[in-house]
Amino acid sequence: NAGVTQTPKFRILKIGQSMTLQCTQDMNHNYMYWYRQDPGMGLKLIYYSVGAGITDKGEVPNGYNVSRSTTEDFPLRLELAAPSQTSVYFCASRDSLSNEKLFFGSGTQLSVL
Amino acid sequence: GNSVTQMEGPVTLSEEAFLTINCTYTATGYPSLFWYVQYPGEGLQLLLKATKADDKGSNKGFEATYRKETTSFHLEKGSVQVSDSAVYFCALSTTGANSKLTFGKGITLSVRP
């Protein structure tokens, strides 16, 4: 059971470039989340989804887009990368029947230079 | 809105020392409370949880008690090990199908032999 898989693990972008961070889960979870983690700032919610075809903004959605065409996949898109988007990105999922336990991927470390 | 406040870090302890990491929260209603742990290079994992006042969550020798009167959920361990070195996040979640976790800033614990 792979759990939540994120790719790539590391990436360096130039200002203005675009990229997609991939997230896949094999637990048939309805709820999926994207967080960014900045040093000393904890985790901030970017976007979340409660099921295929449904997405909603979190605390810090500006500069990002998401889609949820299947239960398994929840990609995060950066259209015009900016230095402020340098961060570690985590994807997470949970079973809609369980309110508490989030399963996290191992993260993507992104640098925008 | 909801918020979680953790004590400032980092914390450095010797092996077998007693650990306390403070966490207080602000929330409407009756949240569930959590401690997540992040080991180096990995995503977050649920360490323990408590869903109502006076509940005690425990796992791997760690404990935390849900104190409604002081709005606190302090993490304790009687004897830390080097393998406990990690970043610890306190979090809360309000009830409801669309509830989301609110995280504290996290605190880094280093345990030296």
Side-chain angles (χ1 to χ4, degrees):
Chain A
N1 191 338
V4 179
T5 302
Q6 289 183 240
T7 56
K9 291 191 181 299
F10 304 94
R11 184 73 185 268
I12 298 174
L13 286 181
K14 294 181 180 178
I15 295 172
Q17 286 186 319
S18 301
M19 78 163 294
T20 299
L21 282 65
Q22 301 292 343
C23 176
T24 298
Q25 53 91 9
D26 62 359
M27 297 172 283
N28 202 34
H29 286 174
N30 285 325
Y31 291 72
M32 296 187 75
Y33 306 83
W34 274 106
Y35 289 91
R36 59 177 288 172
Q37 182 183 28
D38 300 307
M41 298 301 294
L43 277 74
K44 299 294 184 184
L45 181 64
I46 305 171
Y47 270 96
Y48 68 100
S49 169
V50 301
I54 305 170
T55 62
D56 208 347
K57 296 177 181 179
E59 301 173 73
V60 290
N62 292 343
Y64 307 95
N65 278 300
V66 294
S67 60
R68 185 92 183 272
S69 56
T70 66
T71 299
E72 294 79 17
D73 299 311
F74 190 42
L76 178 71
R77 179 82 177 163
L78 283 70
E79 291 294 349
L80 292 170
S84 61
Q85 294 177 305
T86 293
S87 188
V88 180
Y89 292 83
F90 287 101
C91 180
S93 71
R94 71 173 171 92
D95 185 325
S96 59
L97 297 179
S98 169
N99 193 30
E100 54 263 18
K101 187 173 182 178
L102 282 181
F103 293 81
F104 282 82
S106 57
T108 295
Q109 187 169 328
L110 175 67
S111 295
V112 182
L113 305 175
Chain B
N2 298 334
S3 67
V4 176
T5 302
Q6 293 185 232
M7 59 183 280
E8 294 291 325
V11 173
T12 301
L13 295 174
S14 297
E15 203 165 27
E16 299 184 0
F18 183 84
L19 170 71
T20 299
I21 301 177
N22 290 341
C23 171
T24 57
Y25 67 90
T26 301
T28 55
Y30 302 96
S32 295
L33 301 173
F34 311 90
W35 278 100
Y36 277 79
V37 58
Q38 183 182 28
Y39 298 105
E42 299 182 10
L44 282 70
Q45 306 172 26
L46 179 64
L47 179 60
L48 54 83
K49 66 180 184 186
T51 57
K52 61 182 186 295
D54 300 325
D55 267 2
K56 178 184 284 187
S58 61
N59 187 24
K60 299 181 180 179
F62 290 90
E63 293 183 342
T65 301
Y66 190 144
R67 301 289 188 197
K68 185 169 179 287
E69 64 276 11
T70 55
T71 62
S72 65
F73 193 55
H74 304 323
L75 182 69
E76 296 182 336
K77 186 174 186 181
S79 176
V80 294
Q81 306 300 313
V82 172
S83 57
D84 294 326
S85 298
V87 182
Y88 292 82
F89 293 90
C90 186
L92 71 81
S93 175
T94 52
T95 57
N98 290 335
S99 67
K100 299 173 287 294
L101 279 180
T102 299
F103 287 90
K105 293 184 177 182
I107 186 169
T108 300
L109 169 66
S110 298
V111 181
R112 52 177 184 245

